[in-house]
Amino acid sequence: MATNSLPPSPIAPTVDFSAEGVQHGFLRLPYSRDESAWGSVMIPICVIRNGRGPTALLTGGNHGDEYEGPVALYDLARTLQPDQVSGTVIIVPAMNYPAFVAGTRTSPIDKGNLNRSFPGRPDGTVTQKIADYFQRELLPRADLVLDFHSGGKTLDFLPFAAAHILADKALERKAFAAVEAFSAPWSVKMLEIDAVGMYDTAAEEMGKIFVTTELGGGGTARAETVRIAKRGVLNVLRHASIVKGPVDRQVTRWLDMPSDDCFSFAEVDGLLEPMIDLGGEIAKGATIARVHPVGRTGQAPHEIKSKMAGLLAARHFPGLVQAGDCVSVVAAVVSGAQKGG
Ligand code: CA
C-alpha cells in the first residue's frame, strides 16, 4: 500500500509522545461546521512514559455505546503513575469520540463505524480521519494493543477477552498469552468472518500483539464487568513488563468461535423469547430463541436453532428483533477451567 503518497493526517496531538511523565491532552481533529467555524473534534488522550521499554496502546470507545473499556481507561489514565511504568502507555479511552458522546455505535457526524473504516483516509470523513491517524501514527508506535469492546445497545456478551486465529502462529501465541493474562472469566479464540476494515486487522497486519474484549453490553456497564476490565488492563500491562508486579491470574475458560455456524440471525421481525441465557449449554439443533410475530394472535413463533453445540456467548439485547438482527452467538468449549501459569 502506497501510504507514503498520502497527505499528512490533519489531526494534531497536543501531547509529546517522547516526553517523560504523564500528559493529558487531545488529538485535535479540525471539523469546521455550522455550529463551529474552524472548530475541532477533541479526542482525549493520555501518555504515560518512563524511560525505555515497550509501548502499549489502550483503547475504548471504538464503538460509542460500549462502556467497560472507557470506564477502566479513564480511571487508569487518572491513577497510573510514571514510576509504576517501564516504557510507554498511550490511552485513548474514547476512540470514536463523536460516537461516544452521542452514546451511539457509529458517528453521528458521518455514520462511520470506526471498526470498519481502517486504514482510513487523511482526506476522508471525520471517522476515516480518526482511523487514518491510528493506522499511520499510533499503531506504528505500539508493541501491544488492547482494544476494549462490549455488546453495545443491541448485544450482550459473556465477559471475555479474545484474540484472533492468525496465519502468523508466533504472533498468535503471544496474543493468546496476553488474553490469558487478562484473566477474564472467559477467553476466546476468534476466527474473524468479516475482517476487512477492522482496527484489529490493521494492528495484526503490522505484527502487533492485539487483544480485544467483549465484556457485557446492553448499552451500559455492570460492576462485575468493570472490575474485570480494570483487572484485565493492569494484568496485560504486567504481562508485557510495562507495569511492575505479578499478573493477578484468575480462572478462565477457553472458548472457540470457529466458523459462521456460531452466529444466528433473525429472519422475521417480532418479539424475542430467549430459550437459554448467557453461559447456558446448548446442543446442536436445539432452540436458542423464538421470535413471535406480533401483528396478530394465533401465529406460530419462528424458531432459531443452534447450528453447533456449545454455550451461549452472546445474545440480542432488546426485546424486539428485526429480520437480519444477530440473535445469538454460540461458542464451543475447548478446555475445562484453567488458571494460566
Ligand atoms: Ca464493539
Side-chain angles (χ1 to χ4, degrees):
M1 189 164 43
T3 47
N4 292 341
S5 63
L6 290 171
S9 171
I11 292 178
T14 69
V15 291
D16 176 352
F17 292 100
S18 61
E20 299 284 318
V22 180
Q23 300 169 80
H24 299 284
F26 301 95
L27 305 174
R28 190 178 67 79
L29 191 170
Y31 175 47
S32 189
R33 57 204 188 272
D34 289 345
E35 313 85 70
S36 182
W38 297 11
S40 299
V41 173
M42 304 292 274
I43 303 167
I45 184 170
C46 170
V47 181
I48 302 165
R49 183 179 167 99
N50 183 22
R52 298 167 71 89
T55 295
L57 175 58
L58 311 176
T59 49
N62 185 334
H63 294 130
D65 61 348
E66 304 174 4
Y67 295 101
E68 285 83 358
V71 171
L73 293 179
Y74 277 105
D75 197 62
L76 184 71
R78 189 178 56 80
T79 54
L80 187 63
Q81 300 299 315
D83 63 5
Q84 297 172 267
V85 170
S86 303
T88 305
V89 180
I90 301 171
I91 303 173
V92 184
M95 281 175 94
N96 195 348
Y97 191 69
F100 179 72
V101 294
T104 52
R105 180 175 181 82
T106 61
S107 175
I109 297 172
D110 52 32
K111 293 294 173 192
N113 178 345
L114 181 57
N115 214 28
R116 295 292 182 279
S117 298
F118 281 80
R121 293 181 63 91
D123 55 356
T125 64
V126 165
T127 304
Q128 289 170 333
K129 286 171 178 170
I130 295 171
D132 171 69
Y133 189 81
F134 275 85
Q135 175 83 31
R136 291 193 295 152
E137 300 293 339
L138 293 184
L139 282 177
R141 297 178 185 280
D143 299 289
L144 178 146
V145 183
L146 171 57
D147 185 38
F148 279 100
H149 286 255
S150 298
K153 286 177 176 164
T154 63
L155 291 173
D156 195 15
F157 280 87
L158 278 184
F160 66 76
H164 290 114
I165 294 165
L166 300 173
D168 180 343
K169 292 301 169 190
L171 184 61
E172 181 190 278
R173 267 196 303 279
K174 290 178 189 171
F176 287 154
V179 166
E180 190 157 285
F182 188 102
S183 284
W186 305 90
S187 298
V188 174
K189 301 179 179 188
M190 296 173 109
L191 182 67
E192 202 62 54
I193 303 299
D194 179 20
V196 175
M198 292 180 72
Y199 181 49
D200 316 44
T201 310
E204 288 157 356
E205 284 180 348
M206 286 184 211
K208 310 302 184 184
I209 299 168
F210 187 89
V211 175
T212 187
T213 71
E214 299 287 358
L215 291 176
T220 190
R222 291 183 285 118
E224 182 206 2
T225 51
V226 167
R227 280 194 291 271
I228 293 166
K230 287 184 176 184
R231 183 183 66 216
V233 65
L234 274 176
N235 272 348
V236 168
L237 291 172
R238 290 173 183 137
H239 170 76
S241 301
I242 296 173
V243 164
K244 297 177 186 75
V247 174
D248 175 13
R249 291 196 186 269
Q250 304 290 316
V251 171
T252 191
R253 292 183 75 194
W254 279 92
L255 299 173
D256 214 348
M257 289 185 187
S259 75
D260 59 6
D261 281 351
C262 300
F263 303 92
S264 295
F265 299 90
E267 296 183 359
V268 296
D269 297 357
L271 174 64
L272 186 67
E273 179 188 358
M275 301 296 285
I276 187 165
D277 288 318
L278 287 180
E281 292 184 8
I282 192 152
K284 184 177 179 179
T287 303
I288 301 171
R290 307 202 292 179
V291 181
H292 295 270
V294 296
R296 59 179 298 163
T297 59
Q299 303 286 298
H302 181 84
E303 298 217 335
I304 294 172
K305 295 184 185 297
S306 185
K307 288 168 271 185
M308 55 183 270
L311 56 78
L312 190 67
R315 53 154 288 186
H316 186 76
F317 189 77
L320 297 177
V321 292
Q322 294 189 313
D325 285 350
C326 180
V327 169
S328 61
V329 183
V330 173
V333 179
V334 291
S335 72
Q338 59 184 233
K339 199 161 183 174

PDB file of all heavy atoms in Angstrom, residues 103-136:
ATOM      1  N   GLY A 103     -23.429   8.501  22.533  1.00  0.00           N
ATOM      2  CA  GLY A 103     -23.922   7.216  23.039  1.00  0.00           C
ATOM      3  C   GLY A 103     -24.382   6.289  21.937  1.00  0.00           C
ATOM      4  O   GLY A 103     -25.282   5.475  22.133  1.00  0.00           O
ATOM      5  N   THR A 104     -23.737   6.385  20.781  1.00  0.00           N
ATOM      6  CA  THR A 104     -24.140   5.576  19.629  1.00  0.00           C
ATOM      7  C   THR A 104     -22.959   4.749  19.114  1.00  0.00           C
ATOM      8  O   THR A 104     -21.802   5.117  19.296  1.00  0.00           O
ATOM      9  CB  THR A 104     -24.657   6.459  18.487  1.00  0.00           C
ATOM     10  OG1 THR A 104     -23.693   7.482  18.208  1.00  0.00           O
ATOM     11  CG2 THR A 104     -25.986   7.115  18.861  1.00  0.00           C
ATOM     12  N   ARG A 105     -23.273   3.651  18.459  1.00  0.00           N
ATOM     13  CA  ARG A 105     -22.231   2.773  17.917  1.00  0.00           C
ATOM     14  C   ARG A 105     -21.390   3.498  16.872  1.00  0.00           C
ATOM     15  O   ARG A 105     -20.165   3.437  16.872  1.00  0.00           O
ATOM     16  CB  ARG A 105     -22.913   1.553  17.284  1.00  0.00           C
ATOM     17  CG  ARG A 105     -21.956   0.537  16.673  1.00  0.00           C
ATOM     18  CD  ARG A 105     -22.754  -0.681  16.206  1.00  0.00           C
ATOM     19  NE  ARG A 105     -21.923  -1.718  15.627  1.00  0.00           N
ATOM     20  CZ  ARG A 105     -21.243  -2.629  16.318  1.00  0.00           C
ATOM     21  NH1 ARG A 105     -21.256  -2.613  17.630  1.00  0.00           N
ATOM     22  NH2 ARG A 105     -20.525  -3.556  15.719  1.00  0.00           N
ATOM     23  N   THR A 106     -22.076   4.199  15.976  1.00  0.00           N
ATOM     24  CA  THR A 106     -21.393   4.864  14.869  1.00  0.00           C
ATOM     25  C   THR A 106     -21.425   6.378  15.098  1.00  0.00           C
ATOM     26  O   THR A 106     -22.154   6.880  15.947  1.00  0.00           O
ATOM     27  CB  THR A 106     -22.063   4.530  13.525  1.00  0.00           C
ATOM     28  OG1 THR A 106     -23.418   5.002  13.562  1.00  0.00           O
ATOM     29  CG2 THR A 106     -22.061   3.023  13.270  1.00  0.00           C
ATOM     30  N   SER A 107     -20.645   7.093  14.292  1.00  0.00           N
ATOM     31  CA  SER A 107     -20.529   8.535  14.479  1.00  0.00           C
ATOM     32  C   SER A 107     -21.784   9.258  14.011  1.00  0.00           C
ATOM     33  O   SER A 107     -22.282   9.009  12.916  1.00  0.00           O
ATOM     34  CB  SER A 107     -19.330   9.060  13.671  1.00  0.00           C
ATOM     35  OG  SER A 107     -19.285  10.464  13.745  1.00  0.00           O
ATOM     36  N   PRO A 108     -22.307  10.190  14.837  1.00  0.00           N
ATOM     37  CA  PRO A 108     -23.457  10.979  14.374  1.00  0.00           C
ATOM     38  C   PRO A 108     -23.075  11.962  13.263  1.00  0.00           C
ATOM     39  O   PRO A 108     -23.953  12.465  12.577  1.00  0.00           O
ATOM     40  CB  PRO A 108     -23.902  11.732  15.640  1.00  0.00           C
ATOM     41  CG  PRO A 108     -22.674  11.811  16.485  1.00  0.00           C
ATOM     42  CD  PRO A 108     -21.885  10.559  16.201  1.00  0.00           C
ATOM     43  N   ILE A 109     -21.769  12.199  13.081  1.00  0.00           N
ATOM     44  CA  ILE A 109     -21.330  13.157  12.059  1.00  0.00           C
ATOM     45  C   ILE A 109     -21.464  12.553  10.667  1.00  0.00           C
ATOM     46  O   ILE A 109     -21.997  13.172   9.754  1.00  0.00           O
ATOM     47  CB  ILE A 109     -19.873  13.588  12.322  1.00  0.00           C
ATOM     48  CG1 ILE A 109     -19.771  14.317  13.668  1.00  0.00           C
ATOM     49  CG2 ILE A 109     -19.348  14.451  11.170  1.00  0.00           C
ATOM     50  CD1 ILE A 109     -18.336  14.614  14.097  1.00  0.00           C
ATOM     51  N   ASP A 110     -20.968  11.317  10.513  1.00  0.00           N
ATOM     52  CA  ASP A 110     -20.904  10.731   9.166  1.00  0.00           C
ATOM     53  C   ASP A 110     -21.407   9.292   9.131  1.00  0.00           C
ATOM     54  O   ASP A 110     -21.249   8.610   8.123  1.00  0.00           O
ATOM     55  CB  ASP A 110     -19.458  10.793   8.652  1.00  0.00           C
ATOM     56  CG  ASP A 110     -18.473  10.194   9.655  1.00  0.00           C
ATOM     57  OD1 ASP A 110     -18.846   9.250  10.386  1.00  0.00           O
ATOM     58  OD2 ASP A 110     -17.331  10.678   9.722  1.00  0.00           O
ATOM     59  N   LYS A 111     -21.987   8.815  10.255  1.00  0.00           N
ATOM     60  CA  LYS A 111     -22.464   7.427  10.376  1.00  0.00           C
ATOM     61  C   LYS A 111     -21.334   6.409  10.257  1.00  0.00           C
ATOM     62  O   LYS A 111     -21.568   5.220  10.021  1.00  0.00           O
ATOM     63  CB  LYS A 111     -23.575   7.118   9.347  1.00  0.00           C
ATOM     64  CG  LYS A 111     -24.863   7.905   9.614  1.00  0.00           C
ATOM     65  CD  LYS A 111     -25.486   7.455  10.911  1.00  0.00           C
ATOM     66  CE  LYS A 111     -26.679   8.337  11.310  1.00  0.00           C
ATOM     67  NZ  LYS A 111     -27.090   8.057  12.716  1.00  0.00           N
ATOM     68  N   GLY A 112     -20.093   6.874  10.427  1.00  0.00           N
ATOM     69  CA  GLY A 112     -18.957   5.970  10.275  1.00  0.00           C
ATOM     70  C   GLY A 112     -18.836   4.991  11.423  1.00  0.00           C
ATOM     71  O   GLY A 112     -18.883   5.369  12.591  1.00  0.00           O
ATOM     72  N   ASN A 113     -18.693   3.699  11.080  1.00  0.00           N
ATOM     73  CA  ASN A 113     -18.350   2.652  12.036  1.00  0.00           C
ATOM     74  C   ASN A 113     -16.826   2.585  12.035  1.00  0.00           C
ATOM     75  O   ASN A 113     -16.228   2.070  11.094  1.00  0.00           O
ATOM     76  CB  ASN A 113     -18.973   1.326  11.586  1.00  0.00           C
ATOM     77  CG  ASN A 113     -18.616   0.170  12.508  1.00  0.00           C
ATOM     78  OD1 ASN A 113     -17.707   0.246  13.326  1.00  0.00           O
ATOM     79  ND2 ASN A 113     -19.344  -0.932  12.347  1.00  0.00           N
ATOM     80  N   LEU A 114     -16.186   3.121  13.096  1.00  0.00           N
ATOM     81  CA  LEU A 114     -14.722   3.216  13.101  1.00  0.00           C
ATOM     82  C   LEU A 114     -14.077   1.863  12.866  1.00  0.00           C
ATOM     83  O   LEU A 114     -13.057   1.765  12.184  1.00  0.00           O
ATOM     84  CB  LEU A 114     -14.248   3.828  14.426  1.00  0.00           C
ATOM     85  CG  LEU A 114     -12.739   4.028  14.579  1.00  0.00           C
ATOM     86  CD1 LEU A 114     -12.166   4.899  13.469  1.00  0.00           C
ATOM     87  CD2 LEU A 114     -12.428   4.624  15.950  1.00  0.00           C
ATOM     88  N   ASN A 115     -14.680   0.797  13.407  1.00  0.00           N
ATOM     89  CA  ASN A 115     -14.054  -0.520  13.271  1.00  0.00           C
ATOM     90  C   ASN A 115     -14.324  -1.173  11.911  1.00  0.00           C
ATOM     91  O   ASN A 115     -14.007  -2.339  11.718  1.00  0.00           O
ATOM     92  CB  ASN A 115     -14.491  -1.456  14.404  1.00  0.00           C
ATOM     93  CG  ASN A 115     -13.369  -2.390  14.806  1.00  0.00           C
ATOM     94  OD1 ASN A 115     -12.200  -2.052  14.662  1.00  0.00           O
ATOM     95  ND2 ASN A 115     -13.726  -3.571  15.287  1.00  0.00           N
ATOM     96  N   ARG A 116     -14.890  -0.423  10.992  1.00  0.00           N
ATOM     97  CA  ARG A 116     -14.960  -0.869   9.597  1.00  0.00           C
ATOM     98  C   ARG A 116     -14.352   0.189   8.669  1.00  0.00           C
ATOM     99  O   ARG A 116     -14.606   0.182   7.467  1.00  0.00           O
ATOM    100  CB  ARG A 116     -16.411  -1.131   9.164  1.00  0.00           C
ATOM    101  CG  ARG A 116     -17.088  -2.278   9.891  1.00  0.00           C
ATOM    102  CD  ARG A 116     -16.492  -3.645   9.554  1.00  0.00           C
ATOM    103  NE  ARG A 116     -17.193  -4.731  10.230  1.00  0.00           N
ATOM    104  CZ  ARG A 116     -16.990  -5.101  11.502  1.00  0.00           C
ATOM    105  NH1 ARG A 116     -16.085  -4.481  12.227  1.00  0.00           N
ATOM    106  NH2 ARG A 116     -17.672  -6.095  12.020  1.00  0.00           N
ATOM    107  N   SER A 117     -13.563   1.105   9.242  1.00  0.00           N
ATOM    108  CA  SER A 117     -13.076   2.261   8.488  1.00  0.00           C
ATOM    109  C   SER A 117     -11.572   2.231   8.232  1.00  0.00           C
ATOM    110  O   SER A 117     -11.041   3.159   7.616  1.00  0.00           O
ATOM    111  CB  SER A 117     -13.413   3.558   9.238  1.00  0.00           C
ATOM    112  OG  SER A 117     -14.819   3.693   9.365  1.00  0.00           O
ATOM    113  N   PHE A 118     -10.878   1.184   8.700  1.00  0.00           N
ATOM    114  CA  PHE A 118      -9.432   1.120   8.505  1.00  0.00           C
ATOM    115  C   PHE A 118      -9.095   0.663   7.096  1.00  0.00           C
ATOM    116  O   PHE A 118      -9.846  -0.109   6.532  1.00  0.00           O
ATOM    117  CB  PHE A 118      -8.814   0.176   9.557  1.00  0.00           C
ATOM    118  CG  PHE A 118      -8.687   0.884  10.884  1.00  0.00           C
ATOM    119  CD1 PHE A 118      -9.793   1.010  11.720  1.00  0.00           C
ATOM    120  CD2 PHE A 118      -7.497   1.469  11.262  1.00  0.00           C
ATOM    121  CE1 PHE A 118      -9.690   1.705  12.920  1.00  0.00           C
ATOM    122  CE2 PHE A 118      -7.385   2.167  12.458  1.00  0.00           C
ATOM    123  CZ  PHE A 118      -8.490   2.280  13.287  1.00  0.00           C
ATOM    124  N   PRO A 119      -8.016   1.159   6.482  1.00  0.00           N
ATOM    125  CA  PRO A 119      -6.969   2.022   7.048  1.00  0.00           C
ATOM    126  C   PRO A 119      -7.347   3.498   7.135  1.00  0.00           C
ATOM    127  O   PRO A 119      -6.541   4.289   7.623  1.00  0.00           O
ATOM    128  CB  PRO A 119      -5.802   1.831   6.072  1.00  0.00           C
ATOM    129  CG  PRO A 119      -6.473   1.560   4.765  1.00  0.00           C
ATOM    130  CD  PRO A 119      -7.704   0.773   5.103  1.00  0.00           C
ATOM    131  N   GLY A 120      -8.531   3.872   6.730  1.00  0.00           N
ATOM    132  CA  GLY A 120      -8.942   5.272   6.825  1.00  0.00           C
ATOM    133  C   GLY A 120      -8.351   6.138   5.726  1.00  0.00           C
ATOM    134  O   GLY A 120      -7.659   5.648   4.823  1.00  0.00           O
ATOM    135  N   ARG A 121      -8.662   7.415   5.818  1.00  0.00           N
ATOM    136  CA  ARG A 121      -8.181   8.374   4.819  1.00  0.00           C
ATOM    137  C   ARG A 121      -7.918   9.723   5.514  1.00  0.00           C
ATOM    138  O   ARG A 121      -8.779  10.227   6.237  1.00  0.00           O
ATOM    139  CB  ARG A 121      -9.248   8.628   3.749  1.00  0.00           C
ATOM    140  CG  ARG A 121      -9.571   7.456   2.845  1.00  0.00           C
ATOM    141  CD  ARG A 121     -10.628   7.861   1.829  1.00  0.00           C
ATOM    142  NE  ARG A 121     -10.154   8.921   0.960  1.00  0.00           N
ATOM    143  CZ  ARG A 121      -9.540   8.720  -0.197  1.00  0.00           C
ATOM    144  NH1 ARG A 121      -9.333   7.504  -0.626  1.00  0.00           N
ATOM    145  NH2 ARG A 121      -9.139   9.741  -0.931  1.00  0.00           N
ATOM    146  N   PRO A 122      -6.761  10.334   5.221  1.00  0.00           N
ATOM    147  CA  PRO A 122      -6.494  11.656   5.813  1.00  0.00           C
ATOM    148  C   PRO A 122      -7.392  12.740   5.228  1.00  0.00           C
ATOM    149  O   PRO A 122      -7.593  13.784   5.848  1.00  0.00           O
ATOM    150  CB  PRO A 122      -5.026  11.907   5.479  1.00  0.00           C
ATOM    151  CG  PRO A 122      -4.764  11.058   4.277  1.00  0.00           C
ATOM    152  CD  PRO A 122      -5.638   9.847   4.426  1.00  0.00           C
ATOM    153  N   ASP A 123      -7.940  12.482   4.030  1.00  0.00           N
ATOM    154  CA  ASP A 123      -8.796  13.471   3.366  1.00  0.00           C
ATOM    155  C   ASP A 123     -10.245  12.974   3.284  1.00  0.00           C
ATOM    156  O   ASP A 123     -11.019  13.431   2.446  1.00  0.00           O
ATOM    157  CB  ASP A 123      -8.256  13.767   1.962  1.00  0.00           C
ATOM    158  CG  ASP A 123      -8.092  12.506   1.129  1.00  0.00           C
ATOM    159  OD1 ASP A 123      -8.332  11.385   1.659  1.00  0.00           O
ATOM    160  OD2 ASP A 123      -7.724  12.618  -0.056  1.00  0.00           O
ATOM    161  N   GLY A 124     -10.608  12.028   4.168  1.00  0.00           N
ATOM    162  CA  GLY A 124     -11.951  11.442   4.119  1.00  0.00           C
ATOM    163  C   GLY A 124     -12.895  12.078   5.121  1.00  0.00           C
ATOM    164  O   GLY A 124     -12.769  13.254   5.475  1.00  0.00           O
ATOM    165  N   THR A 125     -13.851  11.276   5.580  1.00  0.00           N
ATOM    166  CA  THR A 125     -14.801  11.727   6.598  1.00  0.00           C
ATOM    167  C   THR A 125     -14.091  11.842   7.952  1.00  0.00           C
ATOM    168  O   THR A 125     -12.952  11.381   8.111  1.00  0.00           O
ATOM    169  CB  THR A 125     -15.945  10.715   6.738  1.00  0.00           C
ATOM    170  OG1 THR A 125     -15.382   9.476   7.206  1.00  0.00           O
ATOM    171  CG2 THR A 125     -16.659  10.483   5.418  1.00  0.00           C
ATOM    172  N   VAL A 126     -14.782  12.401   8.937  1.00  0.00           N
ATOM    173  CA  VAL A 126     -14.212  12.502  10.290  1.00  0.00           C
ATOM    174  C   VAL A 126     -13.792  11.113  10.797  1.00  0.00           C
ATOM    175  O   VAL A 126     -12.687  10.930  11.317  1.00  0.00           O
ATOM    176  CB  VAL A 126     -15.229  13.172  11.241  1.00  0.00           C
ATOM    177  CG1 VAL A 126     -14.841  12.976  12.704  1.00  0.00           C
ATOM    178  CG2 VAL A 126     -15.334  14.666  10.923  1.00  0.00           C
ATOM    179  N   THR A 127     -14.663  10.132  10.621  1.00  0.00           N
ATOM    180  CA  THR A 127     -14.335   8.778  11.103  1.00  0.00           C
ATOM    181  C   THR A 127     -13.139   8.203  10.349  1.00  0.00           C
ATOM    182  O   THR A 127     -12.256   7.572  10.954  1.00  0.00           O
ATOM    183  CB  THR A 127     -15.562   7.855  10.962  1.00  0.00           C
ATOM    184  OG1 THR A 127     -16.669   8.448  11.658  1.00  0.00           O
ATOM    185  CG2 THR A 127     -15.297   6.489  11.543  1.00  0.00           C
ATOM    186  N   GLN A 128     -13.078   8.426   9.039  1.00  0.00           N
ATOM    187  CA  GLN A 128     -11.927   7.944   8.260  1.00  0.00           C
ATOM    188  C   GLN A 128     -10.634   8.639   8.674  1.00  0.00           C
ATOM    189  O   GLN A 128      -9.554   8.041   8.663  1.00  0.00           O
ATOM    190  CB  GLN A 128     -12.181   8.153   6.761  1.00  0.00           C
ATOM    191  CG  GLN A 128     -13.236   7.204   6.202  1.00  0.00           C
ATOM    192  CD  GLN A 128     -13.668   7.571   4.788  1.00  0.00           C
ATOM    193  OE1 GLN A 128     -13.605   8.742   4.389  1.00  0.00           O
ATOM    194  NE2 GLN A 128     -14.107   6.578   4.042  1.00  0.00           N
ATOM    195  N   LYS A 129     -10.725   9.901   9.066  1.00  0.00           N
ATOM    196  CA  LYS A 129      -9.533  10.625   9.527  1.00  0.00           C
ATOM    197  C   LYS A 129      -9.033  10.059  10.859  1.00  0.00           C
ATOM    198  O   LYS A 129      -7.831   9.975  11.088  1.00  0.00           O
ATOM    199  CB  LYS A 129      -9.844  12.119   9.674  1.00  0.00           C
ATOM    200  CG  LYS A 129      -9.961  12.844   8.337  1.00  0.00           C
ATOM    201  CD  LYS A 129     -10.480  14.270   8.521  1.00  0.00           C
ATOM    202  CE  LYS A 129     -10.553  14.990   7.179  1.00  0.00           C
ATOM    203  NZ  LYS A 129     -11.269  16.274   7.274  1.00  0.00           N
ATOM    204  N   ILE A 130      -9.971   9.677  11.745  1.00  0.00           N
ATOM    205  CA  ILE A 130      -9.558   9.057  13.012  1.00  0.00           C
ATOM    206  C   ILE A 130      -8.850   7.728  12.721  1.00  0.00           C
ATOM    207  O   ILE A 130      -7.780   7.443  13.259  1.00  0.00           O
ATOM    208  CB  ILE A 130     -10.772   8.845  13.945  1.00  0.00           C
ATOM    209  CG1 ILE A 130     -11.373  10.197  14.360  1.00  0.00           C
ATOM    210  CG2 ILE A 130     -10.361   8.042  15.182  1.00  0.00           C
ATOM    211  CD1 ILE A 130     -12.713  10.086  15.106  1.00  0.00           C
ATOM    212  N   ALA A 131      -9.448   6.913  11.852  1.00  0.00           N
ATOM    213  CA  ALA A 131      -8.837   5.627  11.501  1.00  0.00           C
ATOM    214  C   ALA A 131      -7.439   5.833  10.928  1.00  0.00           C
ATOM    215  O   ALA A 131      -6.485   5.140  11.306  1.00  0.00           O
ATOM    216  CB  ALA A 131      -9.725   4.874  10.512  1.00  0.00           C
ATOM    217  N   ASP A 132      -7.303   6.791  10.026  1.00  0.00           N
ATOM    218  CA  ASP A 132      -6.003   7.049   9.395  1.00  0.00           C
ATOM    219  C   ASP A 132      -4.958   7.442  10.437  1.00  0.00           C
ATOM    220  O   ASP A 132      -3.797   7.029  10.347  1.00  0.00           O
ATOM    221  CB  ASP A 132      -6.172   8.157   8.356  1.00  0.00           C
ATOM    222  CG  ASP A 132      -4.845   8.651   7.804  1.00  0.00           C
ATOM    223  OD1 ASP A 132      -4.181   7.869   7.078  1.00  0.00           O
ATOM    224  OD2 ASP A 132      -4.457   9.800   8.112  1.00  0.00           O
ATOM    225  N   TYR A 133      -5.359   8.222  11.443  1.00  0.00           N
ATOM    226  CA  TYR A 133      -4.391   8.642  12.463  1.00  0.00           C
ATOM    227  C   TYR A 133      -3.916   7.430  13.275  1.00  0.00           C
ATOM    228  O   TYR A 133      -2.720   7.288  13.550  1.00  0.00           O
ATOM    229  CB  TYR A 133      -4.996   9.703  13.393  1.00  0.00           C
ATOM    230  CG  TYR A 133      -3.951  10.304  14.302  1.00  0.00           C
ATOM    231  CD1 TYR A 133      -3.106  11.314  13.855  1.00  0.00           C
ATOM    232  CD2 TYR A 133      -3.781   9.827  15.593  1.00  0.00           C
ATOM    233  CE1 TYR A 133      -2.111  11.836  14.672  1.00  0.00           C
ATOM    234  CE2 TYR A 133      -2.787  10.340  16.423  1.00  0.00           C
ATOM    235  CZ  TYR A 133      -1.970  11.344  15.957  1.00  0.00           C
ATOM    236  OH  TYR A 133      -0.973  11.841  16.771  1.00  0.00           O
ATOM    237  N   PHE A 134      -4.835   6.559  13.639  1.00  0.00           N
ATOM    238  CA  PHE A 134      -4.420   5.336  14.341  1.00  0.00           C
ATOM    239  C   PHE A 134      -3.550   4.469  13.436  1.00  0.00           C
ATOM    240  O   PHE A 134      -2.544   3.921  13.868  1.00  0.00           O
ATOM    241  CB  PHE A 134      -5.647   4.553  14.836  1.00  0.00           C
ATOM    242  CG  PHE A 134      -6.153   5.036  16.160  1.00  0.00           C
ATOM    243  CD1 PHE A 134      -7.026   6.113  16.246  1.00  0.00           C
ATOM    244  CD2 PHE A 134      -5.729   4.447  17.339  1.00  0.00           C
ATOM    245  CE1 PHE A 134      -7.479   6.590  17.467  1.00  0.00           C
ATOM    246  CE2 PHE A 134      -6.170   4.908  18.577  1.00  0.00           C
ATOM    247  CZ  PHE A 134      -7.038   5.974  18.640  1.00  0.00           C
ATOM    248  N   GLN A 135      -3.931   4.344  12.176  1.00  0.00           N
ATOM    249  CA  GLN A 135      -3.199   3.494  11.233  1.00  0.00           C
ATOM    250  C   GLN A 135      -1.750   3.960  11.056  1.00  0.00           C
ATOM    251  O   GLN A 135      -0.819   3.165  11.091  1.00  0.00           O
ATOM    252  CB  GLN A 135      -3.915   3.529   9.872  1.00  0.00           C
ATOM    253  CG  GLN A 135      -3.205   2.778   8.750  1.00  0.00           C
ATOM    254  CD  GLN A 135      -3.482   1.291   8.755  1.00  0.00           C
ATOM    255  OE1 GLN A 135      -4.559   0.862   9.162  1.00  0.00           O
ATOM    256  NE2 GLN A 135      -2.527   0.501   8.299  1.00  0.00           N
ATOM    257  N   ARG A 136      -1.565   5.257  10.878  1.00  0.00           N
ATOM    258  CA  ARG A 136      -0.231   5.731  10.477  1.00  0.00           C
ATOM    259  C   ARG A 136       0.559   6.381  11.615  1.00  0.00           C
ATOM    260  O   ARG A 136       1.774   6.528  11.495  1.00  0.00           O
ATOM    261  CB  ARG A 136      -0.365   6.729   9.321  1.00  0.00           C
ATOM    262  CG  ARG A 136      -0.835   6.057   8.025  1.00  0.00           C
ATOM    263  CD  ARG A 136      -0.670   6.955   6.840  1.00  0.00           C
ATOM    264  NE  ARG A 136      -1.530   8.131   6.913  1.00  0.00           N
ATOM    265  CZ  ARG A 136      -1.253   9.302   6.353  1.00  0.00           C
ATOM    266  NH1 ARG A 136      -0.130   9.465   5.688  1.00  0.00           N
ATOM    267  NH2 ARG A 136      -2.104  10.313   6.461  1.00  0.00           N
TER     268      ARG A 136
END
